[in-house]
Amino acid sequence: MAEEVNGLRIITLSPFEIHFSQTRIRFEFQDGRTLQTALEETKARDTTFEEEDAILLAPPFPRIEVTRWRCKLRDAEGAPRIDPETGLELYSQEERWFTFDNRRLCCLQRAAAAKWPKKVCCEVYEIPPALARTRELRKFDTRSSGFSVLVGRREAQNLDTWCWRTEVGVPAVQESEPGVVMPGLRRRRPESERQGAGHFRGRRREAKEEEEEAERSFPLQLLRSFLLFMIIYLSLRVCMILWRKYKAGSGTDSVGELENSSL
């Protein structure tokens, strides 16, 4: 029976079985560590996988999360491919393992490619499709069905492409598969209608963001108003105190002059 942590099953897969969910990743992790550094820190030990001798990777980061999913097919520009007969979006013909942790997967695949042709595996968290659908699947934008990924910053002119098949010298998988229509999906509306609806949603989203921003900034505005009031109040108090001292001093001087004149 598979081990579970926080309700998620821990399963063992080959990094080559797992696909990228995004088109591009950066060279470094959020903590500043580069992919190369993580690769160099990845350990390995002997194990048994699918009843064969294998190598189990022990990377310097937590287990990646994977889910079984039919990937939405996209063209080279990133637009969803449409079935000309039904007008519905096309999906991959079979379910595959996809991950939400694309940089970690790239590191694992590089470590596995370095051990080729030995069988390599890693432990991962299996995310149920129902849970994955409510979390990260909206971010799926891969244009290669997850077989490869671009590596580099968004503004870079020439991005590197990582594909484990190219790295180890085996034939690449045909990325432009025919695709199938998923049952229960609605017909994709024409571009003009989507743009109009998108504009309306964009205006509504902007209005909501402005309202939320106003709510967030209200306490700060209130604090600023209070501080301004206190500054003005204290300034007036200081002026009044100085004025009273001045008047008191003037009165004392006048009394002294009268006494001197009487003498």
Side-chain angles (χ1 to χ4, degrees):
M1 184 176 180
E3 180 184 354
E4 289 192 5
V5 175
N6 297 326
L8 299 178
R9 288 205 316 156
I10 299 176
I11 61 176
T12 303
L13 295 174
S14 166
F16 299 150
E17 294 181 75
I18 309 170
H19 297 72
F20 297 98
S21 60
Q22 295 182 321
T23 300
R24 182 190 61 84
I25 61 174
R26 300 180 65 169
F27 281 111
E28 66 278 348
F29 292 91
Q30 292 183 352
D31 62 1
R33 180 171 45 189
T34 64
L35 293 176
Q36 182 61 34
T37 300
L39 176 61
E40 294 171 354
E41 295 176 355
T42 298
K43 308 299 182 182
R45 63 179 177 84
D46 294 334
T47 188
T48 301
F49 177 56
E50 296 179 345
E51 300 182 352
E52 295 183 20
D53 293 337
I55 297 174
L56 178 65
L57 298 177
F61 43 74
R63 299 181 181 95
I64 67 174
E65 298 180 349
V66 302
T67 190
R68 296 282 292 179
W69 190 249
R70 288 180 184 267
C71 175
K72 182 185 295 185
L73 302 182
R74 299 179 182 274
D75 60 23
E77 302 300 323
R81 289 173 49 192
I82 306 300
D83 179 29
E85 296 183 0
T86 63
L88 297 175
E89 296 175 343
L90 293 172
Y91 287 75
S92 59
Q93 293 180 310
E94 61 182 16
E95 289 186 346
R96 301 187 179 102
W97 288 110
F98 283 90
T99 185
F100 311 118
D101 307 308
N102 294 276
R103 280 171 291 196
R104 298 180 192 178
L105 174 60
C106 184
C107 180
L108 291 171
Q109 287 192 352
R110 288 186 176 186
K115 304 292 184 181
W116 182 269
K118 295 181 179 179
K119 179 169 288 191
V120 179
C121 59
C122 60
E123 292 182 341
V124 300
Y125 288 118
E126 180 184 7
I127 307 297
L131 178 60
R133 188 177 294 109
T134 62
R135 292 176 54 186
E136 303 289 344
L137 289 181
R138 65 185 182 278
K139 298 181 180 179
F140 270 47
D141 66 356
T142 176
R143 304 175 189 179
S144 64
S145 297
F147 292 109
S148 63
V149 68
L150 299 175
V151 183
R153 296 182 179 275
R154 188 184 304 275
E155 62 273 12
Q157 296 295 327
N158 298 313
L159 299 177
D160 296 331
T161 299
W162 166 258
C163 175
W164 72 265
R165 290 178 174 272
T166 302
E167 184 71 15
V168 302
V170 300
V173 174
Q174 180 65 32
E175 297 179 356
S176 181
E177 57 182 305
V180 295
V181 173
M182 296 285 286
L185 294 181
R186 293 181 298 177
R187 182 179 181 276
R188 187 174 178 84
R189 292 178 297 172
E191 185 68 22
S192 58
E193 294 182 14
R194 295 201 307 275
Q195 289 179 350
H199 177 70
F200 174 75
R201 288 194 299 269
R203 291 289 300 275
R204 185 169 57 184
R205 183 169 56 252
E206 290 176 1
K208 184 177 180 180
E209 290 176 354
E210 291 176 357
E211 182 179 348
E212 292 176 350
E213 179 64 25
E215 292 179 355
R216 288 194 298 267
S217 62
F218 177 74
L220 182 59
Q221 293 177 355
L222 186 62
L223 178 60
R224 288 175 177 172
S225 300
F226 175 74
L227 292 176
L228 180 61
F229 168 77
M230 291 300 298
I231 291 173
I232 295 175
Y233 172 76
L234 293 175
S235 299
L236 291 175
R237 291 285 297 175
V238 170
C239 291
M240 289 295 296
I241 292 172
L242 293 176
W243 174 253
R244 288 175 180 174
K245 287 185 177 181
Y246 171 76
K247 294 293 290 183
S250 299
T252 303
D253 292 342
S254 299
V255 172
E257 291 176 358
L258 289 174
E259 290 178 350
N260 292 332
S261 62
S262 62
L263 294 175

Coordinates of all heavy atoms in Angstrom, one line a residue, residues 4 17-18 23 27 41 83 94 108-109 121 146 155 163 179 193 199 203 225 235 248 256:
E4 N 1.1 7.6 2.6 CA 0.3 8.9 2.5 C 0.9 9.9 3.4 O 1.3 9.6 4.6 CB -1.2 8.6 2.7 CG -1.9 7.9 1.6 CD -3.4 7.9 1.8 OE1 -3.9 8.7 2.7 OE2 -4.1 7.3 1.0
E17 N 8.5 9.8 -17.2 CA 7.0 9.6 -17.4 C 6.2 10.9 -17.1 O 5.1 10.9 -17.5 CB 6.6 8.5 -16.4 CG 7.1 7.1 -16.6 CD 6.5 6.2 -15.6 OE1 5.3 5.8 -15.7 OE2 7.2 5.8 -14.6
I18 N 6.9 11.9 -16.5 CA 6.2 13.1 -16.1 C 6.4 14.2 -17.1 O 7.4 14.3 -17.7 CB 6.7 13.5 -14.7 CG1 6.6 12.3 -13.7 CG2 5.8 14.6 -14.2 CD1 7.3 12.6 -12.4
T23 N 5.0 26.2 -20.6 CA 5.8 26.3 -21.7 C 7.2 26.7 -21.4 O 8.2 26.3 -22.0 CB 5.2 27.4 -22.7 OG1 3.9 27.0 -23.1 CG2 6.1 27.6 -23.9
F27 N 15.7 29.8 -14.9 CA 16.9 29.1 -14.6 C 17.1 28.9 -13.1 O 17.8 28.0 -12.6 CB 18.2 29.9 -15.0 CG 18.5 29.7 -16.5 CD1 18.3 30.8 -17.4 CD2 18.9 28.5 -17.0 CE1 18.6 30.7 -18.7 CE2 19.2 28.4 -18.4 CZ 19.0 29.4 -19.2
E41 N 23.3 19.0 -6.3 CA 23.0 18.6 -4.9 C 22.1 17.4 -4.8 O 21.8 16.9 -3.8 CB 22.4 19.7 -4.1 CG 23.3 20.9 -3.9 CD 22.6 22.1 -3.3 OE1 21.4 22.0 -3.1 OE2 23.3 23.1 -3.0
D83 N -11.4 21.7 -32.9 CA -11.9 20.7 -33.8 C -12.8 21.4 -34.9 O -13.8 22.0 -34.5 CB -12.7 19.6 -33.0 CG -13.3 18.6 -34.0 OD1 -12.7 18.3 -35.0 OD2 -14.4 18.0 -33.7
E94 N -4.7 10.6 -24.7 CA -4.6 9.7 -23.5 C -4.2 10.6 -22.3 O -3.6 11.7 -22.5 CB -3.6 8.6 -23.7 CG -2.2 9.1 -24.0 CD -1.2 8.0 -24.2 OE1 -1.7 6.8 -24.4 OE2 0.0 8.2 -24.2
L108 N 15.1 16.9 -12.1 CA 15.0 15.5 -12.0 C 15.3 14.8 -13.3 O 16.0 13.8 -13.4 CB 13.6 15.1 -11.5 CG 13.3 15.4 -10.0 CD1 11.8 15.2 -9.7 CD2 14.2 14.7 -9.0
Q109 N 14.7 15.3 -14.4 CA 15.0 14.7 -15.7 C 16.4 14.8 -16.1 O 17.0 13.9 -16.7 CB 14.1 15.4 -16.8 CG 12.6 15.0 -16.7 CD 11.8 15.4 -17.9 OE1 12.3 16.1 -18.7 NE2 10.5 15.0 -17.9
C121 N 14.3 6.5 -10.9 CA 12.9 6.9 -10.5 C 13.0 7.9 -9.4 O 14.1 8.3 -8.9 CB 12.2 5.6 -9.9 SG 13.1 4.8 -8.6
G146 N 3.8 18.9 -23.0 CA 4.7 18.6 -21.9 C 5.9 17.8 -22.1 O 6.6 17.5 -21.2
E155 N 12.1 37.7 -21.0 CA 12.6 38.7 -21.9 C 13.8 38.3 -22.8 O 14.3 39.0 -23.6 CB 13.0 40.0 -21.1 CG 14.2 39.8 -20.1 CD 13.7 39.3 -18.8 OE1 12.5 38.9 -18.7 OE2 14.5 39.3 -17.8
C163 N 14.6 18.8 -23.5 CA 13.8 17.7 -23.9 C 14.7 16.5 -23.5 O 15.8 16.3 -24.1 CB 13.4 17.7 -25.3 SG 12.6 16.1 -25.8
G179 N -5.5 14.6 -31.4 CA -6.4 15.2 -30.4 C -7.8 14.7 -30.4 O -8.3 14.2 -31.4
E193 N -16.6 37.4 -30.1 CA -17.4 37.3 -28.9 C -16.6 37.1 -27.7 O -16.9 37.7 -26.7 CB -18.3 36.1 -29.1 CG -19.4 36.2 -30.2 CD -20.3 35.0 -30.2 OE1 -20.3 34.2 -29.2 OE2 -21.0 34.8 -31.2
H199 N -13.5 41.8 -22.6 CA -13.4 43.2 -22.3 C -14.3 43.5 -21.1 O -13.9 44.2 -20.2 CB -13.7 44.0 -23.5 CG -13.7 45.5 -23.2 ND1 -12.6 46.2 -23.0 CD2 -14.8 46.4 -23.1 CE1 -12.9 47.5 -22.8 NE2 -14.2 47.6 -22.8
R203 N -13.1 44.8 -17.5 CA -13.6 46.1 -16.8 C -14.1 45.7 -15.4 O -13.8 46.5 -14.4 CB -14.7 46.7 -17.6 CG -14.2 47.3 -19.0 CD -13.3 48.5 -18.7 NE -14.1 49.6 -18.0 CZ -14.9 50.5 -18.6 NH1 -15.0 50.4 -19.9 NH2 -15.5 51.4 -17.9
S225 N -4.5 60.5 8.1 CA -5.4 61.6 8.6 C -5.2 61.9 10.0 O -5.2 63.1 10.5 CB -6.8 61.3 8.2 OG -7.0 61.1 6.8
S235 N 1.0 71.5 16.9 CA 1.6 72.7 16.4 C 0.8 73.9 17.0 O 1.4 74.9 17.5 CB 1.6 72.8 14.9 OG 2.4 71.8 14.4
A248 N 2.9 86.8 28.9 CA 3.3 86.9 30.3 C 4.6 87.7 30.5 O 4.7 88.5 31.4 CB 3.4 85.5 30.9
G256 N 7.4 96.2 35.5 CA 8.7 96.6 35.9 C 9.0 98.1 35.5 O 9.6 98.9 36.3

